[in-house]
């Protein structure tokens, strides 16, 4: 039955709207999830001796299934409501079967109320629950919280009414607050007592009624203030019964003392009737209570102790076993606790209890005839998930940590996927990030020795998210890409693959390693292929994350270039993006390629420079209009590396790369000429004759064959380059040729 409830998205939404959003109703939806979570954790109380191990496992599995079904139902609800043209409307039907009607006639107001009504109600209820919790810890601070959040008016009568009417308040703390001597709490106590009516009540009945709502504090001065006010109120409601309020005050205090004396087992010997009468009899008969009244009070207190409502309830439930003492809780109503054996007396007592509760419901049926809301708003999913998201995440995490039960692990993975999808759609960033980082942690790629099949499932789920729900990853791309990098490292290096599941049997190890190799293929590759589907902001984060991982790989011994290679690949995939986005991407890439091109390992540096050449060649395929400078930005890393590198091989490679770029893309180069000449100028100052000659040959060819292309904004860069060659340190032949080219430039410019 409960599984059916958890799979019914409409029922869950209606439950949340009509109970959890009702200030006077129980948090039924939240309690249900909390109870299921405790059972899944194994922390729900039960008679362990009467529960078989197989039953425990079965109930835990069923609880997790219910929790996952709840999340899936919320996903279904969200998708269905967004697809529905009628979302945002709320139909209301009365308990007496009246037809559904609109909340308001104004359409705009209906839509606005439909979006906010229940979310506001839930927020108000949550704030009220926080205030009650604060009051039950520190009453004065609780009242301050209530007033600061405008939950009650800043009046003593308003606070007093709140203390009287709220059943969730701790009765001990109410007594502590009412007994305080400060001005405002004292006014509240007076308002509290003045709101009570004692007309026609016997003295002991009045005291019993008075003390139902709170427990008297322990300090004598606090008791004195409270009973003094009670005496005043009793005398006002029953004029003529006592000569003055002093008599009522003394008698009230005496009744409290008698109640303690008679019913506290620590007090001995007990006070007799004659002692009680004598102690409350004064020399002036008019000043004291009649003897008959005193004897009547004594008998009443001896026969029936003065107790609060909570004391009466505790006395009844103390005879019941501890595991069923949560009266009215969902966990008991639906029998959610772990299976246990029941005696015949237990069964009979429980049946009688249910009958009494049912009778009470029918008796009170007419007291509150509210409106049943049939919810149809997608916005309801957010407060529902806010209420239960963290317990769900904790349950899935604990289940993953506890064991390697495959059905439960699969359920947890479904829960993670649903939770991440929902939090992404609803914009709940903190919770989304928590779900994602927990899932990443459970891959255990950082600790292959501890890896198990459940960690492979976590990795499979993460890669599936990267394929099917990429938008959900957002700021978690660095963590995801780190997993892909580690996966490649483990599967491509035999010594690392040998550490997987170390200490386990060979069959299990081989199975896990084979699964990892399968995931490192197409599933991992799709992470990069699908980068073209990412929106502009996300693709920049993707590149930034991959650069971060690549930088870490280059620090390893030996350095790895897996992510550096992937940077080139995804740059090719995303080359068609608009120039504005590419400018942001390149600001990230350029710095990383400069760092990689400066790597101490010459092979790595050369690989980075060659990768930079490939990107430059690819980007130069895009036409550039006049006055734009993005080509110059693309080639600028070559300039920095040429000037800073101490390796002749690296400098030679850079010149070769630029030569190749000119030969294949000379017609496309515009603003890029500036960087070309800056690189050749740096080459002119080189001490390696091959580098100088190679650079000059290309400068000469460009001037003789493509002068018209460089005569514009880059002419002075060309002249400075020739001056550099004229002053070169390697060969006078090149110096003379450079001077001749300067004259040619002068003549061409004059024409």
């Amino acid at each position: 039955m409960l599984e059916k409830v958890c799979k019914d998205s409409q029922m869950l939404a209606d439950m949340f709207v009509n109970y959890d959003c009702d200030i006077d109703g129980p948090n039924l939806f939240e309690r249900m999830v909390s109870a299921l979570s405790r059972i899944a954790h194994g922390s729900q109380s039960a008679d362990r001796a009467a529960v078989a191990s197989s039953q425990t496992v079965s109930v835990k599995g069923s609880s997790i299934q219910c929790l996952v079904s709840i999340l899936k139902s919320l996903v279904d609800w969200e998708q269905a409501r967004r697809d529905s043209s009628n979302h945002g409307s709320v139909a209301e039907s009365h308990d007496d079967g009246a037809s559904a009607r609109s909340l308001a006639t104004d359409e705009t107001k209906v839509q606005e109320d439909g979006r906010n009504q229940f979310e506001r109600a839930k927020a108000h209820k949550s704030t009220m629950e926080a205030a009650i919790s604060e009051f039950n810890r520190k009453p004065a601070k609780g009242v301050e919280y209530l007033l600061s959040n405008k939950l009650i008016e800043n009046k003593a009568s308003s606070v007093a009414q709140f203390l009287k009417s709220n059943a969730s308040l701790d009765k001990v703390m109410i007594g502590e607050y009412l007994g305080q001597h400060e001005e405002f709490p004292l006014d509240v106590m007076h308002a509290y007592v003045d709101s009570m009516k004692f007309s026609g009540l016997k003295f002991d009945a009045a005291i019993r009624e008075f003390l139902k709502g709170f427990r008297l504090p322990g300090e004598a001065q606090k008791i004195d203030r409270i009973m003094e006010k009670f005496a005043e109120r009793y005398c006002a409601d029953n004029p003529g019964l006592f000569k003055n309020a002093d008599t009522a005050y003394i008698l009230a205090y005496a009744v409290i003392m008698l109640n303690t004396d008679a019913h506290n087992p620590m007090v001995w010997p007990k006070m007799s009737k004659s002692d009680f009468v004598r102690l409350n009899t004064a020399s002036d008969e008019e000043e004291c209570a009649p003897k008959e009244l005193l004897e009547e009070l004594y008998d009443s207190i001896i026969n029936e102790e003065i107790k609060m409502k909570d004391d009466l309830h505790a006395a009844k439930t103390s005879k019941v076993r501890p595991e069923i003492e949560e009266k009215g809780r969902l966990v008991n109503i639906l029998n959610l606790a772990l299976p246990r054996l029941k005696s015949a007396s237990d069964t009979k007592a429980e049946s009688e209890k249910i009958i009494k509760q049912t009778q009470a419901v029918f008796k009170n049926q007419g007291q509150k005839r509210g409106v049943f809301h049939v919810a149809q708003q997608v916005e309801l999913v957010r407060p529902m998930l806010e209420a239960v998201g963290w317990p769900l995440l904790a349950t899935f995490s604990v289940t993953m940590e506890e064991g390697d039960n495959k059905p439960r692990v699969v359920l947890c993975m479904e829960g993670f996927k649903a939770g991440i999808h929902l939090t992404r759609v609803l914009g709940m960033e903190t919770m989304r990030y928590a779900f994602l980082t927990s899932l990443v942690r459970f891959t255990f790629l950082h600790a292959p020795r501890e890896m198990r099949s459940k960690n492979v499932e976590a990795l499979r789920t993460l890669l599936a998210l990267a394929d099917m729900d990429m938008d959900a990853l957002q700021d978690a791309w660095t963590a995801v890409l780190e997993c892909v990098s580690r996966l490649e490292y483990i599967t491509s290096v035999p010594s690392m693959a040998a550490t997987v599941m170390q200490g386990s049997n060979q069959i299990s190890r081989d199975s896990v390693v084979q699964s990892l190799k399968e995931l490192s293929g197409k599933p991992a590759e799709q992470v990069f292929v699908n980068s073209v589907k990412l929106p502009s902001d996300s693709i920049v984060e993707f590149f930034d994350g991959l650069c971060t991982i690549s930088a870490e790989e280059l620090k390893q011994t030996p350095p790895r270039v897996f992510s550096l290679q992937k940077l080139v690949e995804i740059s090719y995939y995303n080359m068609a993006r608009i120039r504005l986005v590419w400018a942001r991407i390149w600001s990230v890439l350029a710095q990383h390629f400069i760092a990689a091109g400066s790597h101490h390992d010459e092979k790595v540096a050369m690989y980075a420079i060659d990768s930079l050449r490939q990107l430059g060649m690819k980007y130069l395929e895009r036409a550039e209009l006049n006055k734009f400078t993005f080509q110059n930005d693309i080639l600028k890393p070559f300039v920095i590396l040429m000037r800073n590198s101490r390796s002749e091989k690296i400098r030679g490679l850079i010149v070769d790369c630029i030569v190749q770029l000119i030969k294949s893309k000379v017609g496309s180069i515009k603003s890029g000429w500036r960087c070309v000449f800056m690189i050749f100028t740096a080459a002119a100052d080189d001490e390696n004759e091959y580098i100088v000659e190679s650079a000059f040959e290309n400068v000469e060819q460009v001037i003789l064959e493509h002068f018209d292309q460089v005569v514009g904004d880059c002419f002075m860069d060309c002249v400075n380059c020739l001056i550099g060659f004229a002053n070169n340190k390697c060969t006078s032949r090149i110096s003379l040729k450079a001077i001749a080219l300067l004259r040619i430039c002068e003549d061409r410019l004059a024409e």
Side-chain angles (χ1 to χ4, degrees), residues 556-567:
Q556 296 176 13
T557 306
R560 296 172 58 221
V561 294
F562 170 75
S563 295
L564 189 62
Q565 178 186 352
K566 292 301 177 185
L567 279 170

Side-chain angles (χ1 to χ4, degrees), residues 11 20 136 231 267 282 297 337 359 362 413 471 521 540 557 680 688 738:
M11 185 179 293
D20 292 60
N136 290 341
V267 178
L297 284 174
Q359 289 173 341
F362 281 112
M413 291 303 104
D471 290 346
V540 176
T557 306
F680 286 154
N688 186 296

Side-chain angles (χ1 to χ4, degrees), residues 477-479 481-482 540-550 588:
W477 274 117
T478 301
L481 293 168
E482 184 178 10
V540 176
E541 290 178 353
F542 190 96
F543 270 96
D544 188 47
L546 194 53
C547 285
T548 301
I549 302 306
S550 177
V588 175

Side-chain angles (χ1 to χ4, degrees), residues 152-196:
I152 55 176
E153 295 181 56
N154 192 8
K155 297 191 299 184
S157 58
S158 180
V159 177
Q161 182 58 33
F162 178 79
L163 298 182
K164 280 187 67 178
S165 61
N166 200 299
S168 300
L169 295 175
D170 188 325
K171 307 305 181 187
V172 174
M173 292 303 174
I174 295 176
E176 287 293 328
Y177 185 77
L178 294 177
Q180 291 180 16
H181 67 277
E182 288 84 359
E183 182 179 358
F184 189 73
L186 196 61
D187 291 343
V188 172
M189 186 266 286
H190 286 188
Y192 184 96
V193 179
D194 286 337
S195 68
M196 304 187 79

Side-chain angles (χ1 to χ4, degrees), residues 494-560:
S495 60
M496 284 302 299
T499 65
V500 174
M501 286 187 73
Q502 201 165 68
S504 300
N505 65 74
Q506 191 63 41
I507 296 176
S508 299
R509 291 176 61 188
D510 291 345
S511 174
V512 168
V513 170
Q514 181 60 35
S515 297
L516 291 176
K517 287 181 178 179
E518 291 173 2
L519 292 175
S520 67
K522 186 177 179 180
E525 186 61 29
Q526 285 299 115
V527 173
F528 304 102
V529 173
N530 288 339
S531 62
V532 294
K533 301 176 183 177
L534 289 171
S536 298
D537 289 337
S538 295
I539 191 61
V540 176
E541 290 178 353
F542 190 96
F543 270 96
D544 188 47
L546 194 53
C547 285
T548 301
I549 302 306
S550 177
E552 292 299 318
E553 289 179 355
L554 294 176
K555 293 177 184 177
Q556 296 176 13
T557 306
R560 296 172 58 221

Side-chain angles (χ1 to χ4, degrees), residues 66-125:
C66 288
L67 293 173
V68 173
S69 296
I70 289 172
L71 269 180
K72 287 184 174 180
S73 294
L74 294 182
V75 171
D76 293 342
W77 172 268
E78 185 272 333
Q79 291 175 342
R81 294 308 122 196
R82 287 194 185 278
D83 293 340
S84 171
S85 59
N86 297 322
H87 79 278
S89 64
V90 177
E92 296 184 347
S93 58
H94 285 279
D95 292 344
D96 58 4
S99 60
R101 61 184 178 81
S102 173
L103 282 173
T105 55
D106 184 76
E107 185 177 352
T108 304
K109 187 173 183 298
V110 169
Q111 292 175 350
E112 182 66 24
D113 288 347
R115 283 194 295 269
N116 299 321
Q117 176 189 3
F118 298 113
E119 195 164 356
R120 288 200 306 267
K122 180 58 179 174
H124 174 72
K125 185 176 182 180

Side-chain angles (χ1 to χ4, degrees), residues 421-439:
H421 172 78
L422 270 179
T423 50
R424 189 267 298 176
V425 171
L426 301 172
M428 301 169 67
E429 297 303 317
T430 303
M431 191 178 292
R432 178 192 59 80
Y433 190 75
F435 266 93
L436 268 171
T437 51
S438 295
L439 181 59

